[in-house]
Amino acid sequence: MSFSLKKFLPHLFVLLGFVILSLAYFSPVLKGKKIYQSDIMHYIGMAQQQKEFAKSTGEETYWTNSAFGGMPTYQLGAKYPHNYIKKLDLTLRFLPRPADYLFLYFLGFYILLLCLKVDFRLAALGALAFGFSTYLIIILGVGHNSKAHAIAYMPLVLAGIVLTFRKQYILGFLLTTIALGLEIVANHFQMTYYLLLLVLVLGIAYLIDAYKKKLLPHFFKSVGILGVAAIISVGLNATNFLATQEYVKESTRGKSELTINPDGSPKEVSTGLSNEYITEYSYGIWETFNLYIPKFMGGGNREDVGKESAIYRAYVNLGASPIEALEASREAPMYWGDQPIVEAPAYVGAVIIFLFVLGLFLVRGRLKWWLVGGTILSLLLSYGKNLDFLTNFFIDYVPLYNKFRAVSSIQVILELCIPILGVFALVRLFNDFQKNEEKLKYLKYTVIITAGLCLVFLLFKSTLFDFEGLRDDRYAQAYGEPFVDALVKDRKALFTSDTLRTLIFVLLSAGTVLLYIKEKLSEKLVIIVFAILLLFDSVSVNREYVNNDNFKPARLVDKPYQLNAADKEILQDKSHFRVLDMSSQGQSQPGRAAYFHNSLFGYHAAKLGRYNELLDFHVYRNNMNVLNMLNTKYIIIEEQGQLLPYTNKETNGNAWFISGFESVKSANEEIKALDSLDTKTKAVVQTSIIETNNFRNNFLVDSIASIQLKEFRPNYLKYESNNSNDGFAVFSEIYYQPGWISSIDGKEVPHQRVNYVLRGMFIPKGNHIIEFKFEPQVVKTGSNIALASSAILGILLILGVFYEYKRSKTDA
């Protein structure tokens, strides 16, 4: 591993180019502005309490009361001890967000292609194709940062695996360990799971190749090395892994005990998410061509079609002023595919898909087959309910597949594979493995397929498609049939213009390849031309959806919510309570109430499962007994455009003694019992809990019995009780057994789940101090494992560098 500055300089210039491009695309960050991301705004609201706690105490809380009644912060950006792989990640993300993620896209893909022995110029070209893939830019615009984060490290993981299979065991092992550690630290397990599916496809291709070449010992040695790398990388992230594994069982991703829906109908029994929820965002079969023609299906749900559009004239005909019509036409519902909401097409690029098709003919061997296999698998699985036999098979039989929703997002795999094969088409074009006559023949095949497809769509568009969307019936009822006719006309216009656009890029790409084969262009010029084509192709589409308009002054992004009159009035109350925001503002900004108060609602993809069921069965139906037991002291309502805080004087308070239990045998009976239960005097408890703890069913509650909350923090609660009789208290706190430790007068005692989601505890007569502390064991255990794994990796890294250094000296 000899080091030469001259040898390294080209890579340094490429990396500098990536930095410049990343900052250029997101240039407002240079002025101190920040991108406004809707999902991140929700996250800021959800995470505000834990951030304020850390700021004021210097400690990390792993529980927040600010959202959904209370929940762990494991999936809300919790910071863990000895998380050194996270420090490395932060070092790599040195650019302002979101330029940092775009740079990571470029960097990881560039390193992958270098590890595949691609010339650095072509590697840089491939990095541009991958990084500017429209879907990867769109997710930055809406705030799917952890998804982008995980995608960015995918190529780096593949690079380590490829090196290992190429017998560069030490470098491959170290790179895989670090890269996979970084991939996991991104904390988007769905993307990491999809990467694993691609790795399995790659492994099968390498296994078949090893069998044919009689290299099975090498294959299994590589697999063993990669297995050790995976174990250490998991160890580096042990705290997050253990915490997530613990939490997922209690979340909506875990198994529900209910077998009924809120309306009493039978519920689909599943160990994960329901099929309907998993496949809600399923890619349409025809939508496949969005990858090749950006507005094949109209683009997104809100497209700017301008003043010359039919929809503009339709708005004018409906009585809108020219200004109103223009504003409306800037958010025209052009998308006519199968998915509920689409921000933008998942456009990969006409130029890179042209090269991909050319690569199907030019490229040979295992590389081609794992790339094609990964592309086909991801495309078929993205169809979801539109290819239900395959989707249902994966949901029912492939481990963990039913834990993730939005199956269309698996297309990130093909968005990774297509540029690799596209770059290798140029690699094969530039080398002498095939004669020019053969290359010319394959070019003709490619043009026939890619250009021919465009011509078919242009000639037969009205025969093949009706251009009508899922919501067009509603538009017809609201605005009349002429409005829908205008939508269809504009959709056809977009379809035609973008198909012609793709055809032009195909012909320009084909012409460039032809000129090279005819020796009219040099390699360098071909690379420059394709760099220009790729950038113009992708960036021009991306800028329609993510551009300078997405940025706002930093103060508005860092503090996205402002106090209103209702908030100010509620915040004058310094006691401990919850808030229910029923206003339109609360619906459109679900993280807002959590930013200022302890909210019943919030925004999270994996809420606590039982609490989510309580919302569906009772809270959304305004069951006041349930709202009272949740200590809902204030309800924000909207009257004539004014936000008003209604004070609920019937709330049960923070804790109360009950006179007895209503015993039930199942979760179904338990949640239904809350329909009529007087939560102030009774608690519903499953019979198994009563029998296990040998509880009696009646308690005497006299007028002087009291239990009061004296101290509260997100992870700590202290009560004082006074009762002349033995009693049972219900605490208006969400039950989460792993981590919450309860004690009476300093002696640890158990507490139980009551009223489906709350905590309850037997308290002997007399005066007592009751405390709840959230001290999750998984954090302690995981941190120790992470520390040990980091030490092991550090030692192996030093030994590996020393070994390579000694070997380079010997070779010299």
Side-chain angles (χ1 to χ4, degrees), residues 777-804:
Q777 183 60 41
V778 287
V779 173
K780 299 174 184 176
T781 303
S783 298
N784 289 335
I785 296 173
L787 177 60
S789 300
S790 299
I792 291 170
L793 176 60
I795 293 169
L796 292 176
L797 188 60
I798 292 170
L799 292 175
V801 171
F802 179 74
Y803 174 81
E804 291 291 343

Side-chain angles (χ1 to χ4, degrees), residues 53-106:
F53 180 82
K55 183 178 178 181
S56 62
T57 66
E59 300 175 8
E60 185 76 14
T61 175
Y62 299 109
W63 184 270
T64 179
N65 288 310
S66 66
F68 296 117
M71 63 185 294
T73 64
Y74 303 146
Q75 296 300 313
L76 285 171
K79 297 178 181 178
Y80 303 115
H82 305 307
N83 195 2
Y84 302 114
I85 191 70
K86 181 65 177 179
K87 296 183 186 300
L88 175 60
D89 168 61
L90 292 172
T91 302
L92 291 173
R93 292 192 290 119
F94 59 92
L95 293 177
R97 186 173 296 175
D100 57 345
Y101 291 126
L102 183 54
F103 174 75
L104 281 187
Y105 290 159
F106 294 148

Side-chain angles (χ1 to χ4, degrees), residues 655 707-709 717-720 731 733 768-770 772:
I707 180 166
Q708 296 180 335
L709 180 64
L717 297 155
K718 179 181 178 181
Y719 303 83
E720 288 184 6
F731 299 86
E733 299 295 333
H768 299 286
I769 299 294
I770 300 100
F772 286 93

Side-chain angles (χ1 to χ4, degrees), residues 327-345:
E327 286 298 317
S329 66
R330 286 174 177 165
E331 294 188 347
M334 288 293 102
Y335 175 71
W336 51 280
D338 294 336
Q339 299 182 79
I341 299 174
V342 170
E343 291 289 336

Side-chain angles (χ1 to χ4, degrees), residues 331-370:
E331 294 188 347
M334 288 293 102
Y335 175 71
W336 51 280
D338 294 336
Q339 299 182 79
I341 299 174
V342 170
E343 291 289 336
Y347 182 58
V348 172
V351 175
I352 198 64
I353 285 184
F354 169 84
L355 292 174
F356 172 80
V357 176
L358 182 61
L360 293 176
F361 298 107
L362 288 176
V363 180
R364 301 283 190 272
R366 64 190 181 190
L367 173 74
K368 170 183 173 179
W369 294 118
W370 72 260

Side-chain angles (χ1 to χ4, degrees), residues 309-329:
S309 63
I311 202 65
Y312 170 83
R313 294 188 294 274
Y315 278 119
V316 171
N317 291 336
L318 286 169
S321 69
I323 294 176
E324 290 171 337
L326 183 60
E327 286 298 317
S329 66

